[in-house]
Amino acid sequence: MLRTHTCGELRLDHVNQEVTLAGWVQRVRNKGGLIWVDLRDRYGVTQLIFEEGSTDKALLEKAADLGREFVVSASGTVIERTAKNDKMPTGSIEIKVSQLEVLNAAKIPPFIIEDETDGGDELRMKYRYLDLRRNVVREKLQLRHRMMQETRKFMDGQNFIEVETPVLIKSTPEGARDFVVPSRTNPGEFYALPQSPQTFKQLLMVSGFDRYFQIVKCFRDEDLRADRQPEFTQIDCEMAFVNQEDILNTFEGLVKHLFSSVKGIDLGYVEHMTFADAMKYYGNDKPDLRFDMKFVELNEVAKGKGFGIFDNAELVVGICAKGAAEYTRKQIDELTEWVKRPQIGAKGLVYARYTADGNLKSSVDKFYEVEDLQAWADAFGAEPGDLMLVLSGDAKAVRKQLSELRLRMGEDLGLRDRTKFKPLWVVDFPLLEWDEETKRYHAMHHPFTSPKREDIPLLETDPGAVRANAYDLVINGVEVGGGSIRIHDRATQQLMFTHLGFSDEEAQKQFGFLMEAFEYGAPPHGGIAFGFDRLCAIFGGSDSIRDYIAFPKNNSGRDVMIDSPSTIADEQLKELSIRVSLEQK
Ligand code: ASP
């Protein structure tokens, strides 16, 4: 080895030892006859010292010539520092260097490689390999590594077998567009990259594997956001001979194991909530339960008092922000403007303050007497000091708007603490979702999800009301996992495809292999997949999954470091029998 120790290792106990360290020059401080160099590797930073008198001249000059990010090896004696730095684990010692070798010089890096950097996003992405030298970035990948190891440990301990499934496949419908890969040996034909290994893991159940998992890359061509990347990682799982409760228990176990082993946190009780309740009380299928602020419906108490906007609305619904009665007029106006932005689309915002001295004042005092407002306050369970915020309109739209407002108020009032974790199982999702654009039903989860047996007759009469054996795990308002109990017989699967508007031929062409497998002894089965990058981001207390991916893509799906996607050589196109002619969009 080119080193005897790492740069994070030496302490007072090592004083007087002869050591060799290797790493990157983080900083050089040259005080004339005295030079300090901070040497960094992935384990830490150790200070090197070169001193006129006790260090020979040539060595002193060599040290003075070191530039940032030079790769060097330094040998010398560990000595006790006179001025100790208790912020650094190695801050009590330094190395009095007797030999210095420059292993590789470095150009001046385009940004400062320290916790606080001057590099913008795009620049750091272009030089991601330099960004990854920074502690704050490296630590995120270390967290990811730990979570991966703990996942494997837990799953192996529960008898799950990790099986790799192919990457060149054909379309798996998870609701996004496919990335496709042309086949050279089958001109004019394409593979699709898996949106998930869904059909393969089901086939593994037919094969008798019983308990499968895989930490696997999935690919979805959709618009990007902070919590989306075109390629991302799932902890993908499937089990046979289980019901929904078994799956929830097993994977609650996984998540609890990760929290306790990686963060030392006991996650505690995981609440269950139906999709219908989540929508009714939080306007959202992934409610953030770190704070309460449940929706309260006010039709009974707010309609019929001559306020046309409420009278004509399908739903009048509000939230009570505890302790926010002090909000100034200006703050409330600002909130009103905020909910009226097109992204949220509310028509307006009605408020009622329950002042600390017990008075009720609202923005609609013209229509409501104090007794009326008291009825609102009672419905909310409001107390003096609270602020009631009310929206109205079409039920579905208004719930969505209020959900945004609730999250905003939670943020404003400091209720979304990143160090707190509130998990929730959302269950009983609808099987189908009506799509206005295509005027047909889509599978809300995916087409392999089974309907609740008692709801099957509704498929004919009221398809939108059919509930599925489908569930999501939500933590702090983020969907971290989702799955379902699957259909495992041909007839039901075929029926499902029919309801999704597939002709028999189309269904056969795309998923005949799966339906056929169901005819050869398919056990009842179900599963779940966790968005691994999101889970890492939550553990790390961050909104962006990008930080937890070694080489992520930017918002337009580009890797600016390797400059991809890019055109390919004519020769390659020819081999693929492809001619490119781009259409104007
Ligand atoms: N394949 C599903 C997904 O990617 C998960 C599952 O149903 O197990 O969301």
Side-chain angles (χ1 to χ4, degrees):
M1 298 250 204
L2 299 186
R3 60 186 176 192
T4 58
H5 295 81
T6 70
C7 296
E9 203 176 339
L10 297 169
R11 301 286 185 274
L12 279 177
D13 293 349
H14 298 92
V15 165
N16 292 331
Q17 280 189 24
E18 292 299 312
V19 298
T20 302
L21 302 185
W24 286 260
V25 172
Q26 171 124 344
R27 226 184 266 174
V28 180
R29 271 163 299 147
N30 191 341
K31 302 263 177 215
L34 194 57
I35 298 172
W36 285 288
V37 174
D38 283 347
L39 192 67
R40 179 194 70 233
D41 64 10
R42 102 177 218 224
Y43 307 93
V45 173
T46 298
Q47 181 167 291
L48 312 177
I49 180 166
F50 303 81
E51 208 171 351
E52 201 166 32
S54 54
T55 304
D56 79 60
K57 206 154 177 267
L59 185 57
L60 204 63
E61 274 166 18
K62 213 172 180 183
D65 283 345
L66 291 177
R68 269 161 56 199
E69 302 307 314
F70 275 39
V71 184
V72 303
S73 100
S75 302
T77 317
V78 183
I79 60 171
E80 182 171 357
R81 278 206 217 178
T82 23
K84 300 197 173 43
N85 178 349
D86 58 11
K87 294 210 178 67
M88 286 170 75
T90 61
S92 298
I93 56 98
E94 57 196 346
I95 313 296
K96 191 170 163 33
V97 178
S98 52
Q99 221 179 330
L100 177 72
E101 194 184 340
V102 175
L103 301 171
N104 214 339
K107 293 209 287 192
I108 294 174
F111 52 86
I112 295 173
I113 302 183
E114 295 197 23
D115 293 1
E116 293 289 331
T117 178
D118 55 350
D121 270 357
E122 213 44 15
L123 190 64
R124 286 189 292 114
M125 285 301 153
K126 182 161 162 55
Y127 295 96
R128 181 69 168 167
Y129 52 90
L130 296 181
D131 201 27
L132 288 170
R133 284 186 193 162
R134 296 168 57 227
N135 290 325
V136 281
V137 185
R138 192 196 58 244
E139 278 160 11
K140 295 195 164 82
L141 290 192
Q142 282 171 334
L143 171 73
R144 184 181 176 107
H145 163 77
R146 198 60 350 263
M147 292 185 57
M148 242 178 201
Q149 303 316 310
E150 291 300 337
T151 299
R152 292 209 158 96
K153 211 193 278 175
F154 177 88
M155 298 303 276
D156 184 47
Q158 300 282 323
N159 246 336
F160 282 82
I161 298 176
E162 186 163 14
V163 182
E164 288 163 284
T165 51
V167 172
L168 296 175
I169 64 165
K170 68 184 198 180
S171 183
T172 335
E174 296 279 4
R177 278 184 211 92
D178 291 320
F179 282 104
V180 295
V181 179
S183 163
R184 178 182 59 82
T185 46
N186 304 277
E189 295 189 321
F190 295 80
Y191 301 99
L193 301 184
Q195 293 188 34
S196 84
Q198 185 61 36
T199 48
F200 289 97
K201 66 174 171 176
Q202 291 191 241
L203 292 171
L204 286 169
M205 294 304 107
V206 180
S207 308
F209 276 85
D210 200 69
R211 289 179 166 218
Y212 142 96
F213 89 105
Q214 183 181 191
I215 299 183
V216 62
K217 272 285 173 77
C218 300
F219 307 85
R220 297 185 190 177
D221 186 1
E222 50 194 346
D223 296 334
L224 304 183
R225 301 190 303 231
D227 64 349
R228 264 199 203 151
Q229 281 274 300
E231 52 177 305
F232 61 98
T233 304
Q234 285 189 343
I235 308 172
D236 190 44
C237 314
E238 197 76 4
M239 299 170 87
F241 305 117
V242 286
N243 57 32
Q244 178 165 313
E245 226 29 56
D246 301 317
I247 297 206
L248 301 194
N249 287 335
T250 306
F251 293 101
E252 206 169 296
L254 168 64
V255 174
K256 284 185 168 169
H257 171 77
L258 290 176
F259 269 98
S260 65
S261 59
V262 176
K263 286 195 82 74
I265 286 177
D266 176 5
L267 198 56
Y269 175 69
V270 183
E271 215 176 292
H272 290 206
M273 187 183 292
T274 62
F275 170 87
D277 279 353
M279 297 310 287
K280 184 173 162 71
Y281 295 116
Y282 301 95
N284 196 316
D285 63 359
K286 41 180 192 299
D288 184 347
L289 294 191
R290 276 173 297 182
F291 63 107
D292 194 21
M293 224 186 269
K294 246 185 187 171
F295 290 10
V296 173
E297 299 188 357
L298 298 172
N299 279 9
E300 303 247 313
V301 289
K303 284 189 173 206
K305 307 280 175 185
F307 181 43
I309 295 187
F310 281 3
D311 289 349
N312 297 325
E314 184 185 357
L315 181 65
V316 181
V317 58
I319 49 176
C320 174
K322 290 260 148 237
E326 308 270 282
Y327 263 48
T328 59
R329 189 57 209 262
K330 192 160 161 253
Q331 278 175 301
I332 295 178
D333 285 349
E334 203 259 309
L335 276 182
T336 311
E337 286 314 309
W338 188 82
V339 294
K340 281 163 80 177
R341 291 175 320 151
Q343 296 95 310
I344 299 195
K347 295 257 166 19
L349 175 66
V350 167
Y351 69 87
R353 284 181 218 277
Y354 202 160
T355 59
D357 53 12
N359 287 321
L360 282 157
K361 290 275 322 145
S362 81
S363 54
V364 283
D365 279 353
K366 230 165 77 188
F367 303 98
Y368 296 93
E369 304 290 335
V370 174
E371 301 79 68
D372 298 325
L373 296 177
Q374 187 58 53
W376 293 21
D378 292 345
F380 278 116
E383 295 166 304
D386 295 350
L387 176 68
M388 296 168 260
L389 297 168
V390 183
L391 297 178
S392 62
D394 165 62
K396 201 167 162 204
V398 82
R399 286 197 176 108
K400 206 156 168 250
Q401 294 155 3
L402 191 62
S403 160
E404 298 286 344
L405 181 61
R406 175 181 176 271
L407 291 174
R408 156 86 199 251
M409 292 307 293
E411 199 70 59
D412 278 10
L413 297 171
L415 304 172
R416 303 181 74 189
D417 178 351
R418 283 172 193 279
T419 61
K420 262 209 205 143
F421 299 95
K422 199 73 186 135
L424 164 75
W425 284 112
V426 179
V427 297
D428 296 357
F429 275 83
L431 184 71
L432 303 167
E433 191 176 26
W434 180 252
D435 183 41
E436 262 310 317
E437 225 168 88
T438 53
K439 299 272 180 238
R440 57 185 234 197
Y441 281 104
H442 285 269
M444 191 151 187
H445 187 50
H446 51 54
F448 316 110
T449 296
S450 62
K452 285 202 181 290
R453 188 174 302 196
E454 62 272 28
D455 288 0
I456 290 181
L458 288 174
L459 269 174
E460 301 304 332
T461 53
D462 187 5
V466 178
R467 290 165 308 156
N469 292 309
Y471 33 80
D472 275 357
L473 183 70
V474 174
I475 301 179
N476 294 359
V478 177
E479 178 203 327
V480 295
S484 60
I485 298 293
R486 326 296 183 191
I487 295 166
H488 65 281
D489 67 284
R490 181 172 190 126
T492 314
Q493 191 61 71
Q494 202 134 17
L495 181 70
M496 184 68 183
F497 283 131
T498 308
H499 281 284
L500 293 173
F502 283 75
S503 68
D504 283 355
E505 296 74 52
E506 281 168 336
Q508 183 58 31
K509 185 159 176 252
Q510 242 186 307
F511 300 110
F513 64 96
L514 184 70
M515 291 191 286
E516 189 176 12
F518 288 168
E519 295 177 300
Y520 285 99
H525 61 283
I528 190 166
F530 293 93
F532 184 63
D533 315 278
R534 281 191 196 169
L535 209 50
C536 292
I538 289 190
F539 271 58
S542 152
D543 288 329
S544 167
I545 63 171
R546 235 183 260 173
D547 301 351
Y548 297 84
I549 297 174
F551 298 105
K553 302 204 170 22
N554 74 6
N555 268 347
S556 11
R558 294 201 78 81
D559 181 324
V560 292
M561 181 182 67
I562 59 172
D563 193 19
S564 168
S566 55
T567 52
I568 58 173
D570 287 346
E571 200 46 43
Q572 274 177 302
L573 285 171
K574 212 162 147 204
E575 278 177 349
L576 294 167
S577 319
I578 285 181
R579 206 178 306 129
V580 177
S581 131
L582 291 181
E583 272 177 41
Q584 293 294 337
K585 276 206 187 147

